[in-house]
Each structure stands twice: as C-alpha cells, then as structure tokens.
Amino acid sequence: MNILKTYKIYINGQFPRTESGRTYVVNDAEGNPIANVCQSSKKDIRNAVQAARKAFGSWSERSAFNRGQILYRIAEMLEGRKAQFLEELTQQGQSLETAKDEIQLCIDRIVYYAGWCDKYQQILSSVNPVNSSHFNFSMAEPTGVVGILAEQSTGLIGFVSQLMPVIAGGNSVVLIASEQLPLCAITFAEVLETSDLPAGVVNILTGSADEMLPTLAEHMDVNALFLSNVDAEMEKNTQLSAIDNLKRVIVKNDDWTKEDAQGISYISSFQEIKTTWHPIEQIGGATSSY
Amino acid sequence: MKAQKSLFSEIPKSPTIDKVGVEERVSRFQTRSIKGATKMKGLSMVLSMIDLTTLEGKDTPNKVRQMCYKAQHLHNFQEGLPTVAAVCVYPSMVSVAREALKDSTIKIASVSTAFPSGQAPFEVKKIDTQFAIDAGADEIDMVISRGKFLAGEYNFVFDEIAAIKEICGTKRLKVILETGELATLDQVRRASDIAIHAGADFIKTSTGKIQPAATMQVTYTMLMAIRDHFDRTGVMIGMKPAGGISTSKLALHNLVMVKEILGEAWLTNEWFRFGASSLANDVLMQYMKQVTGKYQSADYFTID
C-alpha cells in the first residue's frame, strides 16, 4: 500500500501540525494524490509571527559575517539533498531537465545572497556632508518581521529567491508557501533546520493564501510584506489591510527562473535607513577628524 | 499568648491532598474554550482584579509614579475598560504611590514583614508594617516565616500573622505563603489553614521571587482551603495568585477555577486578585484583538 506522507508546517524550529487539524491533498500532474499537506489557519499565523518576533532580535544582531556563513551552510545542505527536491519537483509535473536547472539556480542564488550578507551595508550606508559640526551618517537596519507570500507558480526557486534577500538582511520571516506546489517548501524547512539557522528566523506555513494573507497583512507585529506576481485586486486589498501599522508592501513581478532576478535591491527593500547626527568635539582648535 | 495558643488548637486538622487528583481536576479547567463576548467580559474582569506590581531593588520613585499613571489610564486604550484593583509596592514607595494616585479609587498594597524572605526579627517586621500603614497603604501583603514553618514551629507562624493583623486593624491583610518553598501541597494546605485562622483577609501564593510561583495546582489547593473554611464558618477569605501568570489565557483559566470552586461571589476584586506585572499588557493586547479583529504588537503598548 502506498502511504502518503503528511507534510507538516515549520514554526519556531519545530514541525507541528496545523493548530486547526486540517489537511488538503496535493496531486501530481496526472491528478493522482501524492501527499497530505497542512491547511494552516489564522492561529498558525499568530504562532508563527510570535516565533519570528522572538527570533528577530538576536538574528538581526548577529555579525553580518556569521549570517553569511549560515546562508552558505543552507546552500551546502540543499546541495546534499538535491535528489529529494528533484523527485518532488518532477512529481509535481516538471521535466527532469528544468527541475535540475531550478535546483542548481537555487543553490547559486543562496550562495549569491550569502556573499551579500556582509557587503550590502557598505553600499546602502553613507557619510553625509552637513553644514554644522556634526558627523552625520546613515546606515541600513533590518525592517523586522517580514511576511512573504511565496510565488505560487513555482515550487522552489520562487520562494527561495524571495526568502534569501530578506534573511540576508537580518529580518525574520513568516512565509506562506505556494498552495498547489508546497512540497519543496516543507522539505526546504528541513534543510533550514539542519543549517545552524536559529529557530524562528524562518517559519513556513502551507495552505490557502486567501485565508491567511489578510491575517498576516492586518497583523500589527508584522513590519513588511513581500508578494510575488499577485493580481491587482489582491495587491490593493493587501495594501489596505496593511495600512494600520504602515507596513511596507513590496510586490515584485519577476520571473524568478531568470538569472538576473536577484540583486541588492531585493535586500534594500527590507532595510530601514537610520541617520545619526553625532556632535564633533573641537579640541584645542583642531579641525574635524571624526 | 495563651489565648492565641488555644485558638490555634481549634484549627481543624488539615486534610491531606491527593496530588494526582488535583492535577487531574486542574487540567480540566484548562480545556475550556472562552470566546467572543464571554472572553471580552472575562478579560475586563481580569484587568479589574490586577494588583499592578513592581517589587525590584532598582525601583525608583519615577518608576512607581509611571506605574501609578498606567494603573489609572488603562481605559485610554478603549472606552469602558476598568482600572486595575491596586498597585503593589515596597513600603518605602508607598508615600510616592499615595501622592501619584491621590484620590483615585485604586488601592495601594504594600508588601511588608521583610519581604521577600521574611528573615528578620519580629520587631522589625512590626515596624515595617506600621511604616507602610502610616505612609498610606490600604492593604498589607505580608510573608510568612517559611523557615519556622518548615521547622514545624506552626505556633510561631500563627502568632506572627495574628500580630501583624492586629497592626493592620481594618486594613486588609494578604498573607503570602511562598508556596514554591513549601515543597508539597499538603504543606500548602497546612499553611493556608494557619493563615486563615490567624486572621488573614486574603491568602496569596507567592512573592514572585521564587519559581515555581502561582501554579494552578497550588491555587486550587488554597481555594479548597477557603471553601472548607467558608462551609464551616460562613466567612469569606480572598485569594491572590501571584507570580508566573503572564498570559490572559492562564488568567481566564484561573477565573474558571474560582467560579467552579468558590462561586460567583468571589468573582470581584474584593475577593480575588492577580499579582502581576506583565499580565496587564497581555490582557490589553487580547482585548484590542477582540475589538479590532487584528493581532496586536507589543510595540504599541507600554514597555512596563
């Protein structure tokens, strides 16, 4: 007998079932059932945001270099589990060739963002000339807890391309996986769990975006949202729900399988610029030397 | 002294506590689902029962003033919210709180008798209590001498409580058992009975300095002592769990327990209190969640 695996969700470094107890069946390209997947609820969103908020402080304060090491580790672990991702992607209707390409691109992209971890600060930050005796500088700080609605049309490359720049920048994440292609997202959670990523930095839920996105968008403890290829209606509704705490709502309509769908702009979208005015002492008539 | 001794001998023998049975019963209180209007009412009730507490060595007058301001302005979040029942501070801060609260209906509770350890001479404890009352305290939260209690000197513990009650006069006296140091539920029950007979108006679980603090098992045991006393004498005694109750959910479970063991009469801040510092914010956040339908963020509530 063929026993279907039940894919669980990922909250605070653990793999619980959804609080609601609901599941839905995911089919392969021919319509045969291949897995049971959790249909997460509002309360799972609540729990995930709580975990993300708790994890945010220490993740954002880690040294940038250490975040880079951990992202690189994620790429290594993904490399080691290629076969499982290949099987899940092909089961869900992809050709072997495109699936291989997708996984390879994912690994490359994670390494790419691993490299950015300790470099974007120099590019986004600045020392500003001001007309007073102040040392004035601006620096990038992570936005906070970021909700991500994963690209719905791909199983792996979409959400990986969205997730990596956000955590590279020191944010923590609640991610709603693709409803129809959720398997790789949960398997990816297993990769994250074995990659030295602290618990709660990334939380992954499966289920209906229509049901969960409004809760996430209204949540006062979520600081930004990252949507990919959503229709105008959904974008507008999300913007409206997000208004109460002035959440950033970032929508990117990229084809994530393109090699150039990456860059520092995806990191800077989830950074806040803080400017500091620091008085310069002038001792003994000396001129400013910071 | 003689009179007190004979009174002590009149305390009925404390029953032994079936720990397994208590755990079983308590776990049932925690499965109740309280939603909608009932939840709103419950949350509002919890707020009205809170003794907003700051008992740190680092307490400053401004910290106490700030807490007193908060105690009076919870309804700023939403019209119709009650204030908390009282603020709870060290004796040295009572005068500051008195000035900050002025003619507000919020009461001032002061800990005393060398809180939290209670390891001071009897005379010092009496002075400590008198000082708090003179400074304007409405209620006294005393600690029992756990060392004496554990050494079996129940008479000493009884006499101490009775003497402090005498100083309190009409001010209400809460007796802190510090159950985390009493080791067994049998001892908790014994201490509850002694406190009740020695003149406590309230019995209180903990100082908040020792873990575990107000577990539901301990609170249950103390509520049973109150009920037995009421059944025997018709006299009501108040209950105050303190320490470790930081979520609304746990607070609501406590209310369920009080209602089912003692009945509706105890569901007012005259007979039931929560000693807590972070509970108030969680209750406000849950309340606002019910009002707005949106999950709240600690960023929009006070830090303390």
Side-chain angles (χ1 to χ4, degrees):
Chain A
M1 199 172 94
N2 192 13
I3 296 176
L4 297 186
K5 177 177 174 184
T6 299
Y7 284 75
K8 296 200 280 186
I9 53 181
Y10 183 51
I11 297 176
N12 202 24
Q14 292 181 319
F15 292 88
R17 291 186 174 79
T18 162
E19 165 280 335
S20 67
R22 301 172 304 175
T23 57
Y24 65 105
V25 176
V26 171
N27 297 326
D28 66 12
E30 278 87 49
N32 306 309
I34 49 174
N36 296 308
V37 177
C38 289
Q39 177 137 24
S40 311
S41 67
K42 289 178 179 185
K43 285 196 178 170
D44 295 313
I45 292 273
R46 176 194 66 187
N47 296 343
V49 172
Q50 220 164 43
R53 173 56 62 194
K54 207 165 128 236
F56 172 68
S58 64
W59 179 242
S60 63
E61 282 162 17
R62 273 190 191 234
S63 74
F65 178 68
N66 184 230
R67 283 207 302 271
Q69 285 177 311
I70 291 173
L71 260 70
Y72 191 80
R73 181 75 181 156
I74 296 172
E76 285 181 346
M77 298 307 287
L78 179 57
E79 177 81 39
R81 293 184 64 163
K82 266 181 176 172
Q84 190 179 355
F85 284 96
L86 203 58
E87 191 192 338
E88 285 170 349
L89 285 176
T90 50
Q91 264 188 330
Q92 292 178 104
Q94 252 175 275
S95 74
L96 197 61
E97 213 45 48
T98 60
K100 269 185 183 163
D101 289 349
E102 184 166 339
I103 294 166
Q104 194 52 53
L105 184 57
C106 271
I107 295 170
D108 292 350
R109 193 153 284 167
I110 298 169
V111 172
Y112 171 82
Y113 282 115
W116 265 122
C117 280
D118 59 357
K119 298 175 187 70
Y120 69 86
Q121 296 86 344
Q122 292 89 311
I123 295 180
L124 300 180
S125 306
S126 62
V127 174
N128 316 310
V130 288
N131 192 20
S132 62
S133 58
H134 288 89
F135 174 33
N136 182 289
F137 56 100
S138 303
M139 52 190 275
E141 291 189 342
T143 302
V145 174
V146 178
I148 299 180
L149 176 64
E151 166 64 40
Q152 297 286 304
S153 68
T154 63
L156 184 61
I157 185 66
F159 80 81
V160 169
S161 306
Q162 290 173 275
L163 177 63
M164 286 305 143
V166 176
I167 59 172
N171 300 284
S172 59
V173 169
V174 174
L175 185 142
I176 302 174
S178 164
E179 187 170 359
Q180 294 309 315
L181 304 169
L183 303 192
C184 290
I186 294 304
T187 307
F188 194 76
E190 291 170 13
V191 167
L192 295 176
E193 186 52 25
T194 47
S195 303
D196 307 327
L197 189 75
V201 172
V202 176
N203 304 276
I204 301 180
L205 306 178
T206 52
S208 155
D210 289 338
E211 182 185 350
M212 288 184 284
L213 186 61
T215 307
L216 198 57
E218 285 174 351
H219 200 309
M220 297 292 282
D221 216 13
V222 174
N223 305 108
L225 291 171
F226 188 180
L227 314 180
S228 166
N229 292 303
V230 292
D231 59 42
E233 177 78 9
M234 192 178 223
E235 183 178 344
K236 185 183 157 198
N237 289 340
T238 307
Q239 291 275 16
L240 284 172
S241 305
I243 221 159
D244 265 5
N245 70 339
L246 307 177
K247 266 182 209 75
R248 289 187 187 286
V249 180
I250 308 290
V251 182
K252 302 275 188 192
N253 295 317
D254 289 289
D255 177 355
W256 301 106
T257 59
K258 291 264 170 55
E259 294 214 350
D260 61 357
Q262 59 187 28
I264 190 175
S265 69
Y266 297 93
I267 297 175
S268 63
S269 293
F270 303 95
Q271 297 291 314
E272 307 298 325
I273 301 300
K274 181 170 88 180
T275 295
T276 303
W277 295 68
H278 188 82
I280 302 169
E281 274 188 64
Q282 303 216 326
I283 298 168
T287 51
S288 144
S289 58
Y290 300 151
Chain B
M1 210 58 177
K2 210 164 193 186
Q4 281 170 357
K5 263 208 173 138
S6 68
L7 184 59
F8 180 66
S9 66
E10 281 167 21
I11 303 178
K13 192 168 163 18
S14 296
T16 54
I17 306 296
D18 172 359
K19 188 157 180 285
V20 176
V22 170
E23 276 164 9
E24 182 73 18
R25 180 89 199 270
V26 161
S27 70
R28 305 227 175 143
F29 298 124
Q30 294 175 299
T31 56
R32 310 296 161 82
S33 180
I34 297 164
K35 301 218 182 287
T38 318
K39 185 171 182 185
M40 298 278 272
K41 190 115 190 278
L43 289 172
S44 167
M45 187 181 276
V46 170
L47 262 189
S48 75
M49 290 171 167
I50 290 176
D51 282 2
L52 208 57
T53 302
T54 183
L55 295 168
E56 304 285 338
K58 64 182 181 193
D59 284 350
T60 59
N62 266 339
K63 164 85 208 253
V64 172
R65 279 182 206 118
Q66 178 211 14
M67 191 179 75
C68 291
Y69 182 87
K70 178 180 175 178
Q72 298 172 84
H73 289 85
L74 292 174
H75 59 272
N76 288 8
F77 285 96
Q78 182 72 22
E79 216 45 58
L81 280 176
T83 63
V84 296
V87 294
C88 184
V89 295
Y90 273 116
S92 58
M93 290 297 164
V94 170
S95 57
V96 177
R98 184 81 275 163
E99 205 203 340
L101 290 173
K102 295 201 181 75
D103 46 2
S104 145
T105 55
I106 298 168
K107 296 196 161 55
I108 297 170
S110 171
V111 294
S112 91
T113 66
F115 179 95
S117 72
Q119 298 280 20
F122 191 30
E123 289 307 315
V124 173
K125 293 182 183 182
K126 287 203 269 193
I127 295 168
D128 198 16
T129 307
Q130 191 61 54
F131 178 86
I133 290 173
D134 292 346
D138 301 302
E139 301 173 348
I140 296 293
D141 288 27
M142 70 169 287
V143 291
I144 64 165
S145 299
R146 283 87 73 192
K148 295 284 187 186
F149 178 86
L150 292 170
E153 295 183 41
Y154 300 144
N155 279 322
F156 182 93
V157 175
F158 182 96
D159 292 347
E160 212 173 55
I161 298 170
I164 298 293
K165 176 61 193 170
E166 210 173 304
I167 295 171
C168 289
T170 55
K171 313 270 182 204
R172 296 180 92 193
L173 174 67
K174 307 192 198 107
V175 177
I176 303 171
L177 309 182
E178 193 61 305
T179 54
E181 293 184 336
L182 298 186
T184 66
L185 292 181
D186 285 332
Q187 305 256 56
V188 170
R189 174 64 197 238
R190 182 89 210 147
S192 304
D193 288 339
I194 291 173
I196 289 171
H197 283 85
D201 297 299
F202 261 82
I203 49 176
K204 174 173 167 184
T205 57
S206 322
T207 60
K209 305 288 180 197
I210 300 278
Q211 290 300 325
T215 63
M216 285 192 76
Q217 284 86 341
V218 156
T219 306
Y220 176 86
T221 305
M222 292 167 70
L223 289 173
M224 286 305 287
I226 293 173
R227 188 170 88 177
D228 289 346
H229 184 71
F230 180 74
D231 287 347
R232 214 164 28 235
T233 65
V235 176
M236 285 172 84
I237 303 291
M239 173 72 203
K240 176 175 171 184
I245 301 176
S246 56
T247 66
S248 309
K249 202 174 187 176
L250 192 52
L252 289 173
H253 288 154
N254 269 277
L255 289 188
V256 169
M257 183 158 74
V258 171
K259 178 167 159 57
E260 294 192 8
I261 295 174
L262 298 178
E264 298 253 355
W266 266 265
L267 288 181
T268 84
N269 63 15
E270 205 189 336
W271 298 109
F272 193 77
R273 297 281 180 82
F274 291 104
S277 43
S278 53
L279 175 63
N281 271 16
D282 191 64
V283 172
L284 287 174
M285 283 170 70
Q286 296 301 323
Y287 195 89
M288 293 315 285
K289 156 74 173 64
Q290 292 291 319
V291 172
T292 62
K294 295 169 186 175
Y295 287 117
Q296 301 295 305
S297 164
D299 287 351
Y300 301 93
F301 293 81
T302 54
I303 291 168
D304 278 311

